[in-house]
């Protein structure tokens, strides 16, 4: 029984999400933050803000915590390397320091999900980072409701997105509304032209119900003339995508939407 328990503990340790803390020196505060992150269940790696140390990093990180005591311009090469890694692996960055304006020259603010000026309350800071990761972390698949009366379109969109997102399908506006009453997706991809209950009616119903009035909607439409586009945008969705857009571009637009939303959520932490 003891052996089984030990094996289970090893497995749980291996499955813990990993946080990367990068600091100019791995002294008291970075170690304190690491200890607090470990206490709430994360595996933590600490690395110095040096190219030789950054090159050695090989983990799949849930987040990067960048702790800096000095101005950012003294670490241009290292920060640009971090920016590339964060973008390539879609890793959120949390900055602890006093030179956010300088940091933005090397790491765009869109990548930074939280900024904490020193001195910090370590427990509070870790709690906010943990809250963000629980909602928006790499382990969480965003849920997308795709609404279209075309079975071919539904299957196509699911095929394009299912590797990265949890995709739910509805073949009518009525089915979409029924789904929304018991589930909450992170995004609705909504066909504008559908029989009986069209996309505009679905959106209007959504906006009148407080339980899901704030769920973001992006329209799918086959019309690209100016009058149709103005009509679609008058309903104030988060955007629209033409159905004849190449699949890779559709995926990019969805990815970009969630990146921007994550940035806005991160801004609310500051």
């Amino acid at each position: 029984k003891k052996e089984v328990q030990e094996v289970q503990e090893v497995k749980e340790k291996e499955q813990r999400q990993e946080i990367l803390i990068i600091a100019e020196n791995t002294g008291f505060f970075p170690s304190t933050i690491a200890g607090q992150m470990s206490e709430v269940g994360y595996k933590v790696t600490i690395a110095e803000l040096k190219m030789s140390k950054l090159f050695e990093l090989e983990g799949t990180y849930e987040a990067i915590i960048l702790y800096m005591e000095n101005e950012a311009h003294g670490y241009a090469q290292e920060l640009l390397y971090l920016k590339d890694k964060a973008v390539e692996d879609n890793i959120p960055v949390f900055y602890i320091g006093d030179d956010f304006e300088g940091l933005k020259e090397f790491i765009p603010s869109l990548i930074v999900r939280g900024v904490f000026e020193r001195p910090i309350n370590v427990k509070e800071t870790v709690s906010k980072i943990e809250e963000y990761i629980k909602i928006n972390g790499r382990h969480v698949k965003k849920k997308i409701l795709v609404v279209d009366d075309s079975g071919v379109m539904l299957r196509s969109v699911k095929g394009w997105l299912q590797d990265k997102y949890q995709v739910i399908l509805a073949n009518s506006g009525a089915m979409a509304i029924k789904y929304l009453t018991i589930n909450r997706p992170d995004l609705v991809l909504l066909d504008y032209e559908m029989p009986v209950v069209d996309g505009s009616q679905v959106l209007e119903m959504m906006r009148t119900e407080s339980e899901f009035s704030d769920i973001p909607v992006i329209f799918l439409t086959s019309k690209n003339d100016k009058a149709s586009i103005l009509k679609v945008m008058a309903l104030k969705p988060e955007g629209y995508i033409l159905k004849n857009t190449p699949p890779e571009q559709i995926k990019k637009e969805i990815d970009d939407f969630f990146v921007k939303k994550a940035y806005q959520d991160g801004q609310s932490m500051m």
Side-chain angles (χ1 to χ4, degrees):
K1 188 174 180 181
K2 185 180 178 182
E3 288 179 359
V4 171
Q5 186 178 354
E6 287 175 352
V7 169
Q8 182 64 30
E9 287 175 357
V10 169
K11 284 184 177 179
E12 288 177 358
K13 189 174 181 180
E14 287 175 348
Q15 291 171 356
R16 285 191 300 168
Q17 295 154 353
E18 188 167 3
I19 302 295
L20 174 61
I21 298 176
I22 297 177
E24 293 164 282
N25 62 75
T26 55
F28 176 74
F29 274 107
S31 297
T32 303
I33 296 165
Q36 190 65 34
M37 294 300 301
S38 296
E39 278 187 29
V40 296
Y42 292 96
K43 181 181 177 183
V44 182
T45 297
I46 302 182
E48 285 187 72
L49 188 58
K50 293 180 179 178
M51 288 305 303
S52 59
K53 300 297 182 182
L54 298 180
F55 281 141
E56 295 173 0
L57 300 172
E58 296 180 346
T60 302
Y61 303 105
E62 195 69 25
I64 295 173
I65 299 174
L66 177 60
Y67 183 89
M68 297 187 68
E69 298 178 355
N70 296 303
E71 293 183 359
H73 68 79
Y75 296 91
Q77 186 181 10
E78 290 83 357
L79 293 174
L80 287 172
Y81 179 85
L82 273 182
K83 183 261 294 182
D84 290 341
K85 184 172 182 61
V87 170
E88 183 178 343
D89 296 338
N90 192 27
I91 307 172
V93 175
F94 298 90
Y95 172 69
I96 300 172
D98 307 317
D99 187 29
F100 184 51
E101 287 302 313
L103 182 76
K104 288 191 291 187
E105 293 181 27
F106 310 103
I107 300 181
S109 55
L110 198 63
I111 299 172
V112 181
R113 306 293 192 252
V115 175
F116 307 94
E117 291 188 358
R118 298 182 310 124
I120 62 166
N121 180 309
V122 173
K123 284 192 175 182
E124 249 179 50
T125 301
V126 168
S127 177
K128 288 184 177 182
I129 293 172
E130 183 189 17
E131 182 183 353
Y132 176 90
I133 292 170
K134 282 182 177 178
I135 299 171
N136 302 290
R138 292 159 55 92
H139 65 290
V140 180
K141 270 194 172 184
K142 298 296 184 185
K143 191 183 297 182
I144 300 176
L145 173 63
V146 185
V147 189
D148 201 299
D149 61 311
S150 166
V152 173
M153 190 66 187
L154 287 175
R155 289 190 295 273
S156 295
V157 175
K158 184 171 184 177
W160 301 333
L161 301 178
Q162 65 183 351
D163 286 348
K164 191 169 184 179
Y165 302 101
Q166 183 181 347
V167 182
I168 302 96
L169 306 179
N171 62 7
S172 69
M175 184 182 288
I177 293 297
K178 185 177 180 180
Y179 175 85
L180 289 169
T181 59
I182 55 175
N183 295 280
R184 184 182 176 85
D186 298 289
L187 173 66
V188 177
L189 288 181
L190 181 60
D191 182 13
Y192 186 72
E193 298 172 295
M194 291 185 292
V196 186
V197 181
D198 65 21
S200 63
Q201 291 171 305
V202 172
L203 181 55
E204 285 170 6
M205 282 188 273
M206 288 179 64
R207 294 299 182 247
T208 58
E209 294 291 334
S210 58
E211 293 173 4
F212 41 82
S213 61
D214 60 339
I215 296 174
V217 171
I218 293 178
F219 273 121
L220 292 170
T221 179
S222 57
K223 293 189 174 183
N224 62 356
D225 60 281
K226 187 176 180 181
S228 297
I229 291 172
L230 288 173
K231 189 176 180 182
V232 167
M233 296 311 293
L235 298 170
K236 297 183 179 178
E238 275 60 37
Y240 74 94
I241 298 175
L242 295 175
K243 289 187 177 182
N244 62 357
T245 302
E248 287 302 318
Q249 181 60 31
I250 290 178
K251 287 192 286 185
K252 184 179 183 305
E253 292 198 29
I254 301 300
D255 291 344
D256 288 348
F257 165 78
F258 282 117
V259 167
K260 289 176 183 176
K261 188 174 186 305
Y263 169 68
Q264 290 166 355
D265 293 343
Q267 287 288 87
S268 67
M269 296 172 58
M270 301 179 192

